[in-house]
Amino acid sequence: MIDKTHIVKNNKTMLYITYAIVLAFVVFNFNTVFSIIGYILSLATPLYIAIIIAFILNIPMRRIEHLYGKKIKKRGLKRGLAIATTLILAIILIVLFSSFIIPKLGESITLIISNIFNYSNRLVTLINDTMAKFHVNYAINYESIQQALSNLDLNNLLSKSGDLLGNAGINLIFQSIGIFGFFINVITSFIMSLYLLANKETHLRQLKKVVTFLFGYKESLMIFDIGAEANHYFNGFVSGQLLECCILTSLMYAGFRLTGLPFPELIAFIIGLASLVPMFGGFVGFGISFILVLAVEPTQAIIFTICFVIIQQFEANIIYPRVVGGAVGISGLYVLLSLVVFGNLFGFFGLLIAVPSMALIYAVGSRFINIALYRNHIEVTDKSIKKMKE
């Protein structure tokens, strides 16, 4: 008679031995294994880009589809019209941005580069005179700044920028191949995003099946519960933050244009882009723009400051609560901590995802901790820790 217990023990022993061998191989060849895994994952790069595109486009598409749903009952027609309308709106925004904002930004940047020596001289003189009035024994050496700017050879860069295509030579062929591959990936990602949007329920069901097959029933419930919470935070934060950024940029541009400030398009764009980073992003945008205005028109720096403060307060107290609202709902301490940690890990992209990521971590962590305390019949307050009766 076959001893099934002995067979089970042998199978477990072989499993442990195999696991130990694989673990040892990974540890001693970590760089190689990591590179192979990275290469395998990089093969699906267009899919990752498609998921990001689909996630962003799905934000307005859901609302458009809901509006069409009041008149159109056929699901396929409703979904197709919603996708087409979303794409048309996106194309209109891109055309407006390309035809109006980008040329204005280019003109402002070209003018600043062309007059950078005059602006820097004016700014250095203003700072040195201010230091002298307050009897501060410090002066900026303009010659060193001028030498550093000369080494950049900005005028030569501008004059040669138009001849880039004519002087590229053989390197242009290889660059064109790389650019061609880039556009192929972009087009592929875009088409994949349309498939994801058109059949998002089907793909989500397939994903649930795979996750349930791999992790089991209970674990898959927990995974998709966390996923739903992540979708809530990222959806609310991304849609609200992008809309708030557009509104702030428009208000800043209108205010700077009415007050006659220099480069209204450029400084409004800088402040709007910086506002994507919560809390101190606006101050960074203000600092950069203030130095720019101070260098170009020192007398208008005060007007710029007043205009910025008025618009920023109006936006922060009236628009931001209505647009972004409580989509995140974590304290300022965790917001700053998330910006520091994610910024150091992932750079500017980390700053963009820091707040919703921290909100998700906070929500999931709080849930696990509260459940564990409840199961152990422990009550924690700001004054005491009590063991409740079972």
Side-chain angles (χ1 to χ4, degrees):
M1 185 175 180
I2 300 173
D3 188 357
K4 295 183 178 180
T5 306
H6 181 68
I7 294 176
V8 171
K9 289 182 178 179
N10 287 338
N11 288 337
K12 286 186 177 181
T13 303
M14 289 300 299
L15 179 63
Y16 293 148
I17 292 173
T18 305
Y19 175 77
I21 293 173
V22 172
L23 181 61
F25 177 80
V26 171
V27 170
F28 289 108
N29 300 274
F30 179 78
N31 292 331
T32 304
V33 174
F34 187 77
S35 300
I36 294 173
I37 294 175
Y39 172 74
I40 294 173
L41 293 177
S42 67
L43 296 176
T45 299
L47 176 61
Y48 311 144
I49 300 174
I51 292 173
I52 296 173
I53 296 173
F55 178 82
I56 296 174
L57 292 178
N58 186 56
I59 295 172
M61 194 197 80
R62 283 188 311 164
R63 299 179 182 181
I64 295 172
E65 188 174 10
H66 178 70
L67 293 176
Y68 282 141
K70 297 179 180 179
K71 299 289 182 69
I72 302 173
K73 300 302 180 183
K74 193 174 180 180
R75 181 178 174 276
L77 179 61
K78 179 175 63 175
R79 177 63 55 83
L81 288 175
I83 294 175
T85 306
T86 303
L87 292 178
I88 291 172
L89 292 176
I91 291 172
I92 292 173
L93 289 176
I94 293 172
V95 170
L96 290 175
F97 186 80
S98 302
S99 60
F100 176 72
I101 298 178
I102 290 181
K104 292 291 184 180
L105 293 177
E107 292 175 7
S108 301
I109 294 172
T110 302
L111 185 60
I112 291 171
I113 293 176
S114 301
N115 297 276
I116 193 168
F117 291 103
N118 295 330
Y119 295 154
S120 60
N121 185 26
R122 192 180 303 171
L123 183 61
V124 169
T125 302
L126 179 63
I127 294 174
N128 288 339
D129 291 343
T130 304
M131 293 289 186
K133 286 182 181 179
F134 288 96
H135 305 288
V136 177
N137 188 20
Y138 178 79
I140 299 175
N141 186 6
Y142 176 69
E143 285 73 16
S144 60
I145 295 178
Q146 189 176 25
Q147 182 63 35
L149 293 175
S150 299
N151 292 334
L152 293 176
D153 201 9
L154 296 173
N155 290 324
N156 187 36
L157 179 63
L158 285 176
S159 63
K160 290 184 178 180
S161 60
D163 302 326
L164 179 63
L165 293 176
N167 298 327
I170 297 176
N171 291 331
L172 180 61
I173 299 175
F174 295 101
Q175 292 177 3
S176 299
I177 294 173
I179 294 173
F180 179 75
F182 170 77
F183 278 112
I184 290 297
N185 283 334
V186 170
I187 294 172
T188 304
S189 300
F190 178 72
I191 295 174
M192 292 175 70
S193 69
L194 295 183
Y195 279 111
L196 289 173
L197 289 172
N199 303 284
K200 56 183 180 180
E201 293 86 2
T202 301
H203 296 305
L204 184 60
R205 184 173 65 252
Q206 292 170 347
L207 177 63
K208 287 182 177 180
K209 286 183 178 180
V210 173
V211 173
T212 305
F213 171 75
L214 293 175
F215 297 97
Y217 176 72
K218 291 184 178 180
E219 288 75 11
S220 63
L221 287 179
M222 182 180 65
I223 290 172
F224 282 104
D225 191 30
I226 295 173
E229 198 141 13
N231 181 65
H232 165 72
Y233 285 116
F234 277 89
N235 204 321
F237 181 80
V238 170
S239 59
Q241 200 72 15
L242 288 176
L243 180 59
E244 187 265 343
C245 171
C246 294
I247 294 174
L248 178 62
T249 303
S250 302
L251 290 175
M252 289 289 178
Y253 172 72
F256 297 155
R257 174 64 73 178
L258 290 174
T259 53
L261 291 172
F263 312 125
E265 298 87 4
L266 181 61
I267 56 179
F269 180 78
I270 291 173
I271 293 173
L273 184 64
S275 69
L276 289 174
V277 180
M279 296 191 72
F280 62 80
F283 296 102
V284 173
F286 168 76
I288 297 173
S289 302
F290 180 81
I291 293 174
L292 182 59
V293 174
L294 194 66
V296 178
E297 293 289 343
T299 56
Q300 292 187 315
I302 297 177
I303 298 176
F304 165 74
T305 303
I306 295 172
C307 185
F308 173 84
V309 170
I310 293 173
I311 296 174
Q312 195 272 336
Q313 288 299 312
F314 173 76
E315 182 270 340
N317 294 291
I318 297 177
I319 296 177
Y320 191 88
R322 296 176 181 272
V323 174
V324 180
V328 177
I330 56 175
S331 69
L333 173 64
Y334 297 118
V335 172
L336 287 175
L337 179 62
S338 67
L339 294 174
V340 172
V341 174
F342 282 86
N344 287 328
L345 289 175
F346 307 109
F348 182 72
F349 177 74
L351 294 175
L352 298 180
I353 65 170
V355 176
S357 299
M358 178 58 76
L360 175 63
I361 294 171
Y362 180 85
V364 174
S366 298
R367 181 182 303 175
F368 278 109
I369 291 172
N370 290 332
I371 290 174
L373 292 176
Y374 176 78
R375 288 176 176 175
N376 290 284
H377 306 284
I378 298 174
E379 181 182 10
V380 179
T381 65
D382 57 341
K383 295 181 180 179
S384 64
I385 300 176
K386 297 179 180 178
K387 183 74 173 179
M388 298 181 295
K389 294 182 179 179
E390 299 184 11

